[in-house]
Amino acid sequence: MYTHEKDIRAYGKPLQESGKALLLVHGRGATAESILMLRQELEVEDFSLVAPQATNHSWYPYSFMAPVSQNQPALDSALDLLHTAVEHCKAEGIKSENIYLLGFSQGACLTAEYAARHAQRFGGLLLFTGGLIGSVIDTEKYQGDFAGTPVLITTGDPDPHVPVSRVDETVQLLEEKGAIVTRKIYKGRPHTILQEELELANQMLRS
């Protein structure tokens, strides 16, 4: 098993100039550079973009629905890397309400898990095909209050990796912790990000 090197890529304006940051978390088998390409579809000219890179191109080895213990120590190490990235943004003067988190697939699962364990008023969460991690959701792990943070969470029906049932469980927990959630389920959608999802993301980024 593995842990993650501290490898965080940046693009766009320096944090001290922009005043707002978008953290992008790639999926299994992908790269920080590949998720950063979403800048071509998103209205992020005024943002600083931050993208951590997973060692071995995977945040954890098994399904996000596996028992948490099976994905250790990689999972805790991945969560620590996200926390390092968020805290770096804060140290550069970015308030949490100006920090947006975006993930796709395995990256969306990691992003949801991180945010729920550190709930606070974020700018927004963009969870493209993901949900909370574990064979069952252990509510004891989740701390804080989202205080009205907007969340977009999506999946296909069916999706080969992320069942609608886990998306629904995730929506319930995020709402209980004070998030305002928009849930979108796309019948027959392949494991990808649709243009409609990007347009919904841009609505959040603009607001």
Side-chain angles (χ1 to χ4, degrees), residues 164-182:
V164 173
S165 59
R166 179 50 59 93
V167 168
D168 289 341
E169 289 177 286
T170 301
V171 168
Q172 181 179 348
L173 184 129
L174 297 179
E175 288 181 338
E176 287 173 356
K177 298 189 72 60
I180 299 172
V181 182
T182 299

Side-chain angles (χ1 to χ4, degrees), residues 116-154:
R117 293 189 187 200
H118 302 270
Q120 56 201 285
R121 181 53 164 94
F122 290 109
L125 306 179
L126 299 160
L127 308 173
F128 295 123
T129 312
L132 293 168
I133 294 173
S135 53
V136 295
I137 290 180
D138 174 11
T139 58
E140 298 287 313
K141 296 182 296 190
Y142 303 124
Q143 307 294 324
D145 185 340
F146 282 114
T149 296
V151 177
L152 172 65
I153 185 167
T154 67

Side-chain angles (χ1 to χ4, degrees), residues 55-185:
T55 300
N56 299 337
H57 303 285
S58 180
W59 295 112
Y60 42 86
Y62 299 110
S63 165
F64 86 112
M65 301 284 287
V68 165
S69 59
Q70 287 187 12
N71 278 314
Q72 300 293 16
L75 175 57
D76 279 351
S77 177
L79 291 166
D80 285 345
L81 185 56
L82 255 65
H83 191 60
T84 296
V86 169
E87 291 302 305
H88 172 67
C89 292
K90 291 181 178 179
E92 293 294 315
I94 311 289
K95 296 178 180 178
S96 66
E97 59 262 34
N98 292 321
I99 298 173
Y100 295 72
L101 305 175
L102 178 157
F104 171 63
S105 191
Q106 192 189 50
C109 298
L110 186 67
T111 300
E113 185 72 16
Y114 171 78
R117 293 189 187 200
H118 302 270
Q120 56 201 285
R121 181 53 164 94
F122 290 109
L125 306 179
L126 299 160
L127 308 173
F128 295 123
T129 312
L132 293 168
I133 294 173
S135 53
V136 295
I137 290 180
D138 174 11
T139 58
E140 298 287 313
K141 296 182 296 190
Y142 303 124
Q143 307 294 324
D145 185 340
F146 282 114
T149 296
V151 177
L152 172 65
I153 185 167
T154 67
T155 196
D157 181 15
D159 181 87
H161 306 290
V162 180
V164 173
S165 59
R166 179 50 59 93
V167 168
D168 289 341
E169 289 177 286
T170 301
V171 168
Q172 181 179 348
L173 184 129
L174 297 179
E175 288 181 338
E176 287 173 356
K177 298 189 72 60
I180 299 172
V181 182
T182 299
R183 165 192 176 275
K184 292 288 183 180
I185 308 299

